[in-house]
Amino acid sequence: MSKYQKPAELYDGLRLHQNENTGGCSPKVIEALAALRADQIGFYPPYESATRACAEYLGVDPDRLSLLNGLDEGIMATAVGYLRPSVGGPLPEAIIPDPAFEIFAIDTEVVGGAPVRVAPNPDFSFALDRVLAAITANTRVVFLTSPNNPTGVTTPLDAIRTIARNVPEGAIVFVDEAYFEFSGQTFIPELPQFPNVVIGRTFSKAFGLAGLRIGAMTGHPDALEPIRLAVPVYSVNIAAVAAVPAALQDFAHVENYLRQVEQSKALLYAACERLGLKYWKSAANFVLVRAGDRLEAVLSAAAARKIYLRDRSTEPGCEGCLRVAAGVVEHTRRFIAVLEEVLCAAP
Ligand SMILES: Cc1ncc(COP(=O)(O)O)c(C=O)c1O
């Protein structure tokens, strides 16, 4: 069984390895947290106003939205709700187009289901034919991510529609939109036509709330029901509940980060072109870069300067690749300086 290789706890330095907003959250969130009273912390948290604020942001009915302790919880709850084998029944299958966020396969295996991995196209364009060919009568979940992690490539809406029309009855298509704010592309407006699609979102990325652990899922109540049953009743804490409306009220903070992400990606692409490195244009806040046989040299030179990157070289199609967050411009410049130093040094 695959096991999640949790990144080392590297907090002394520049964290460019977990796609976080390295500029942090809005000051409005800090104010909301500071305003929490002792009695609020003493009680189990109320969810109504955070659910309403989040539903309004997503443009969905609050009845169709569940808050989560991070989208990770939604992925595990989906696995528990849909991928547990029943006694004497067939092994439930989860289709996972590679390369993918590793948690999909891990959670599938944890609950006893079978991950069905689909090999990527060399350019990471969506391998629709192979995904359709992987669907069987035992398919229970198709895990899609748009933009995808670690490639940054979006999954075409039409591919999602086609898959949703072709999965067996009782199966769902899980669209992970953790990086939605950077791409602006969402399947949410199509949910009324596709009751077998559920969407996952998170406040960990664009909003800079990863430390508070807050995400959400939306979809048709029938599709959400098995997932809701698997989410612990008070899994979202009062700090996250207080933070959500405050974060949503300061969207200017997100917009400022989004502008920096665009600038950072342009700087990174230009650096890769100067240095002759293959990269993939990203619709998210990170870029996958092929450092090839210089990968180890780049990772270790960066780590020596306390700049942390993610080695993705063992993922399908990602040989020799690292993934780097592309957010705060000053942080991106520090990474580019290391890249140039290593690659321009005499061999
Ligand atoms: C595709 C994808 N889904 C979900 C998550 C987890 O989000 P959260 O922090 O809300 O648990 C991540 C985090 O890296 C991710 O990349």
Short mmCIF file of all heavy atoms in Angstrom, two decimals, residues 4-40:
data_model
loop_
_atom_site.label_atom_id
_atom_site.label_comp_id
_atom_site.label_asym_id
_atom_site.label_seq_id
_atom_site.Cartn_x
_atom_site.Cartn_y
_atom_site.Cartn_z
N TYR A 4 1.64 8.12 2.43
CA TYR A 4 1.94 9.54 2.17
C TYR A 4 3.28 9.91 2.76
O TYR A 4 3.52 9.70 3.95
CB TYR A 4 0.83 10.41 2.77
CG TYR A 4 1.04 11.89 2.50
CD1 TYR A 4 1.18 12.36 1.21
CD2 TYR A 4 1.11 12.80 3.55
CE1 TYR A 4 1.37 13.70 0.95
CE2 TYR A 4 1.29 14.16 3.30
CZ TYR A 4 1.42 14.60 2.00
OH TYR A 4 1.63 15.93 1.75
N GLN A 5 4.17 10.42 1.91
CA GLN A 5 5.47 10.88 2.39
C GLN A 5 5.28 12.32 2.84
O GLN A 5 5.44 13.24 2.05
CB GLN A 5 6.53 10.82 1.27
CG GLN A 5 6.77 9.44 0.70
CD GLN A 5 7.35 8.47 1.72
OE1 GLN A 5 8.05 8.87 2.63
NE2 GLN A 5 7.02 7.20 1.59
N LYS A 6 4.90 12.47 4.10
CA LYS A 6 4.63 13.83 4.60
C LYS A 6 5.92 14.65 4.52
O LYS A 6 6.96 14.19 5.02
CB LYS A 6 4.14 13.74 6.04
CG LYS A 6 3.45 14.98 6.50
CD LYS A 6 2.81 14.76 7.85
CE LYS A 6 2.21 16.05 8.36
NZ LYS A 6 1.83 15.95 9.75
N PRO A 7 5.87 15.83 3.89
CA PRO A 7 7.09 16.62 3.82
C PRO A 7 7.63 16.92 5.23
O PRO A 7 6.85 17.07 6.17
CB PRO A 7 6.65 17.92 3.13
CG PRO A 7 5.38 17.58 2.44
CD PRO A 7 4.73 16.49 3.25
N ALA A 8 8.95 16.97 5.35
CA ALA A 8 9.56 17.27 6.64
C ALA A 8 9.03 18.62 7.14
O ALA A 8 8.61 19.46 6.33
CB ALA A 8 11.07 17.33 6.49
N GLU A 9 9.05 18.83 8.45
CA GLU A 9 8.51 20.08 9.01
C GLU A 9 9.54 21.20 8.86
O GLU A 9 10.29 21.49 9.79
CB GLU A 9 8.09 19.86 10.45
CG GLU A 9 6.99 18.80 10.54
CD GLU A 9 6.05 18.97 11.71
OE1 GLU A 9 6.39 19.71 12.64
OE2 GLU A 9 4.97 18.34 11.68
N LEU A 10 9.56 21.80 7.70
CA LEU A 10 10.55 22.83 7.39
C LEU A 10 9.89 24.20 7.50
O LEU A 10 9.21 24.65 6.57
CB LEU A 10 11.08 22.60 5.96
CG LEU A 10 11.72 21.23 5.71
CD1 LEU A 10 11.88 20.97 4.23
CD2 LEU A 10 13.07 21.16 6.43
N TYR A 11 10.04 24.82 8.66
CA TYR A 11 9.42 26.14 8.86
C TYR A 11 10.45 27.25 8.99
O TYR A 11 10.12 28.42 9.05
CB TYR A 11 8.46 26.11 10.05
CG TYR A 11 7.26 25.25 9.73
CD1 TYR A 11 7.25 23.90 10.04
CD2 TYR A 11 6.17 25.78 9.04
CE1 TYR A 11 6.18 23.10 9.69
CE2 TYR A 11 5.10 24.98 8.68
CZ TYR A 11 5.11 23.65 9.01
OH TYR A 11 4.05 22.85 8.63
N ASP A 12 11.72 26.86 9.03
CA ASP A 12 12.80 27.84 9.12
C ASP A 12 13.35 28.02 7.71
O ASP A 12 14.24 27.28 7.29
CB ASP A 12 13.87 27.29 10.09
CG ASP A 12 15.13 28.15 10.08
OD1 ASP A 12 15.02 29.33 9.70
OD2 ASP A 12 16.20 27.63 10.42
N GLY A 13 12.77 28.94 6.97
CA GLY A 13 13.21 29.13 5.59
C GLY A 13 12.04 29.45 4.69
O GLY A 13 10.97 29.85 5.17
N LEU A 14 12.25 29.29 3.40
CA LEU A 14 11.24 29.67 2.42
C LEU A 14 10.54 28.43 1.88
O LEU A 14 11.14 27.61 1.19
CB LEU A 14 11.94 30.46 1.29
CG LEU A 14 11.06 31.00 0.17
CD1 LEU A 14 9.88 31.81 0.71
CD2 LEU A 14 11.91 31.85 -0.77
N ARG A 15 9.25 28.33 2.21
CA ARG A 15 8.48 27.13 1.88
C ARG A 15 7.86 27.26 0.49
O ARG A 15 6.77 27.80 0.34
CB ARG A 15 7.37 26.94 2.92
CG ARG A 15 7.87 26.63 4.31
CD ARG A 15 6.74 26.67 5.32
NE ARG A 15 5.65 25.78 4.98
CZ ARG A 15 5.64 24.48 5.26
NH1 ARG A 15 6.66 23.92 5.89
NH2 ARG A 15 4.61 23.74 4.91
N LEU A 16 8.57 26.75 -0.50
CA LEU A 16 8.02 26.80 -1.86
C LEU A 16 7.60 25.39 -2.30
O LEU A 16 7.45 25.13 -3.48
CB LEU A 16 9.07 27.38 -2.83
CG LEU A 16 9.52 28.81 -2.52
CD1 LEU A 16 10.52 29.31 -3.57
CD2 LEU A 16 8.33 29.77 -2.46
N HIS A 17 7.43 24.49 -1.32
CA HIS A 17 7.20 23.09 -1.67
C HIS A 17 5.78 22.59 -1.42
O HIS A 17 5.48 21.45 -1.73
CB HIS A 17 8.20 22.19 -0.94
CG HIS A 17 8.10 22.24 0.57
ND1 HIS A 17 8.04 23.42 1.27
CD2 HIS A 17 8.03 21.24 1.48
CE1 HIS A 17 7.97 23.14 2.56
NE2 HIS A 17 7.95 21.82 2.71
N GLN A 18 4.89 23.43 -0.87
CA GLN A 18 3.55 22.91 -0.58
C GLN A 18 2.44 23.78 -1.17
O GLN A 18 1.29 23.69 -0.72
CB GLN A 18 3.37 22.69 0.92
CG GLN A 18 4.23 21.49 1.39
CD GLN A 18 3.77 20.90 2.71
OE1 GLN A 18 4.36 21.13 3.75
NE2 GLN A 18 2.69 20.13 2.66
N ASN A 19 2.78 24.61 -2.16
CA ASN A 19 1.77 25.42 -2.88
C ASN A 19 0.96 26.31 -1.95
O ASN A 19 -0.21 26.61 -2.23
CB ASN A 19 0.81 24.53 -3.69
CG ASN A 19 1.53 23.58 -4.62
OD1 ASN A 19 2.70 23.80 -4.95
ND2 ASN A 19 0.86 22.54 -5.05
N GLU A 20 1.57 26.71 -0.84
CA GLU A 20 0.87 27.60 0.09
C GLU A 20 1.03 29.05 -0.38
O GLU A 20 1.90 29.35 -1.19
CB GLU A 20 1.49 27.48 1.48
CG GLU A 20 1.36 26.10 2.09
CD GLU A 20 2.51 25.75 3.03
OE1 GLU A 20 3.63 26.26 2.85
OE2 GLU A 20 2.29 24.93 3.94
N ASN A 21 0.18 29.92 0.18
CA ASN A 21 0.36 31.37 -0.04
C ASN A 21 1.44 31.81 0.94
O ASN A 21 1.17 31.96 2.14
CB ASN A 21 -0.97 32.09 0.21
CG ASN A 21 -0.85 33.59 0.03
OD1 ASN A 21 0.26 34.14 0.09
ND2 ASN A 21 -1.97 34.24 -0.20
N THR A 22 2.66 32.00 0.45
CA THR A 22 3.77 32.30 1.35
C THR A 22 3.70 33.74 1.87
O THR A 22 4.53 34.14 2.69
CB THR A 22 5.13 32.04 0.68
OG1 THR A 22 5.17 32.75 -0.56
CG2 THR A 22 5.35 30.55 0.43
N GLY A 23 2.71 34.51 1.39
CA GLY A 23 2.49 35.85 1.93
C GLY A 23 1.54 35.81 3.13
O GLY A 23 1.37 36.81 3.82
N GLY A 24 0.90 34.66 3.35
CA GLY A 24 0.00 34.52 4.50
C GLY A 24 -1.41 35.03 4.23
O GLY A 24 -1.75 35.43 3.11
N CYS A 25 -2.20 35.02 5.29
CA CYS A 25 -3.63 35.35 5.14
C CYS A 25 -3.86 36.85 5.25
O CYS A 25 -2.95 37.62 5.54
CB CYS A 25 -4.43 34.61 6.22
SG CYS A 25 -4.11 35.22 7.88
N SER A 26 -5.11 37.23 5.03
CA SER A 26 -5.52 38.63 5.16
C SER A 26 -5.40 39.09 6.61
O SER A 26 -5.73 38.32 7.54
CB SER A 26 -6.97 38.75 4.71
OG SER A 26 -7.56 39.89 5.27
N PRO A 27 -5.03 40.37 6.84
CA PRO A 27 -5.05 40.90 8.22
C PRO A 27 -6.45 40.85 8.83
O PRO A 27 -6.60 40.77 10.05
CB PRO A 27 -4.57 42.35 8.08
CG PRO A 27 -4.24 42.57 6.65
CD PRO A 27 -4.52 41.33 5.86
N LYS A 28 -7.47 40.85 7.98
CA LYS A 28 -8.86 40.76 8.50
C LYS A 28 -9.07 39.41 9.21
O LYS A 28 -9.85 39.31 10.15
CB LYS A 28 -9.88 40.86 7.36
CG LYS A 28 -9.81 42.14 6.60
CD LYS A 28 -10.56 43.24 7.33
CE LYS A 28 -10.54 44.54 6.56
NZ LYS A 28 -10.03 45.68 7.34
N VAL A 29 -8.40 38.38 8.73
CA VAL A 29 -8.52 37.07 9.37
C VAL A 29 -7.88 37.12 10.76
O VAL A 29 -8.43 36.62 11.74
CB VAL A 29 -7.87 35.98 8.50
CG1 VAL A 29 -7.74 34.65 9.25
CG2 VAL A 29 -8.66 35.79 7.21
N ILE A 30 -6.73 37.77 10.83
CA ILE A 30 -6.05 37.88 12.14
C ILE A 30 -6.94 38.64 13.12
O ILE A 30 -7.08 38.25 14.28
CB ILE A 30 -4.68 38.61 11.98
CG1 ILE A 30 -3.78 37.86 10.97
CG2 ILE A 30 -3.98 38.80 13.32
CD1 ILE A 30 -3.39 36.46 11.41
N GLU A 31 -7.60 39.72 12.62
CA GLU A 31 -8.51 40.48 13.49
C GLU A 31 -9.66 39.59 13.98
O GLU A 31 -10.03 39.63 15.16
CB GLU A 31 -9.13 41.67 12.73
CG GLU A 31 -8.18 42.84 12.57
CD GLU A 31 -8.73 43.87 11.58
OE1 GLU A 31 -9.97 43.96 11.40
OE2 GLU A 31 -7.90 44.58 10.97
N ALA A 32 -10.22 38.79 13.06
CA ALA A 32 -11.35 37.92 13.44
C ALA A 32 -10.90 36.89 14.47
O ALA A 32 -11.63 36.58 15.42
CB ALA A 32 -11.92 37.23 12.20
N LEU A 33 -9.69 36.37 14.32
CA LEU A 33 -9.20 35.38 15.28
C LEU A 33 -8.96 36.04 16.64
O LEU A 33 -9.30 35.49 17.69
CB LEU A 33 -7.91 34.73 14.78
CG LEU A 33 -8.01 33.91 13.48
CD1 LEU A 33 -6.66 33.30 13.13
CD2 LEU A 33 -9.06 32.82 13.60
N ALA A 34 -8.40 37.27 16.59
CA ALA A 34 -8.11 37.97 17.85
C ALA A 34 -9.40 38.33 18.59
O ALA A 34 -9.39 38.48 19.82
CB ALA A 34 -7.28 39.22 17.57
N ALA A 35 -10.50 38.47 17.84
CA ALA A 35 -11.77 38.86 18.46
C ALA A 35 -12.53 37.66 19.06
O ALA A 35 -13.57 37.85 19.68
CB ALA A 35 -12.65 39.57 17.42
N LEU A 36 -12.03 36.46 18.87
CA LEU A 36 -12.72 35.29 19.43
C LEU A 36 -12.75 35.39 20.96
O LEU A 36 -11.75 35.74 21.58
CB LEU A 36 -11.99 34.00 19.03
CG LEU A 36 -12.28 33.45 17.65
CD1 LEU A 36 -11.36 32.28 17.35
CD2 LEU A 36 -13.75 33.02 17.53
N ARG A 37 -13.90 35.07 21.52
CA ARG A 37 -14.04 35.15 22.98
C ARG A 37 -13.85 33.76 23.60
O ARG A 37 -13.99 32.74 22.93
CB ARG A 37 -15.44 35.66 23.34
CG ARG A 37 -15.79 37.05 22.84
CD ARG A 37 -17.19 37.44 23.33
NE ARG A 37 -18.16 36.37 23.16
CZ ARG A 37 -18.93 36.23 22.09
NH1 ARG A 37 -18.84 37.08 21.08
NH2 ARG A 37 -19.79 35.22 22.02
N ALA A 38 -13.57 33.78 24.90
CA ALA A 38 -13.35 32.51 25.62
C ALA A 38 -14.57 31.61 25.51
O ALA A 38 -14.44 30.39 25.35
CB ALA A 38 -13.01 32.80 27.08
N ASP A 39 -15.79 32.20 25.61
CA ASP A 39 -16.98 31.33 25.57
C ASP A 39 -17.13 30.68 24.19
O ASP A 39 -17.54 29.53 24.09
CB ASP A 39 -18.25 32.10 25.96
CG ASP A 39 -18.58 33.20 24.98
OD1 ASP A 39 -17.73 34.09 24.76
OD2 ASP A 39 -19.68 33.17 24.40
N GLN A 40 -16.76 31.42 23.12
CA GLN A 40 -16.87 30.81 21.79
C GLN A 40 -15.94 29.60 21.67
O GLN A 40 -16.27 28.61 21.02
CB GLN A 40 -16.49 31.83 20.70
CG GLN A 40 -17.54 32.91 20.49
CD GLN A 40 -17.06 33.90 19.45
OE1 GLN A 40 -16.18 34.71 19.73
NE2 GLN A 40 -17.63 33.81 18.27
#
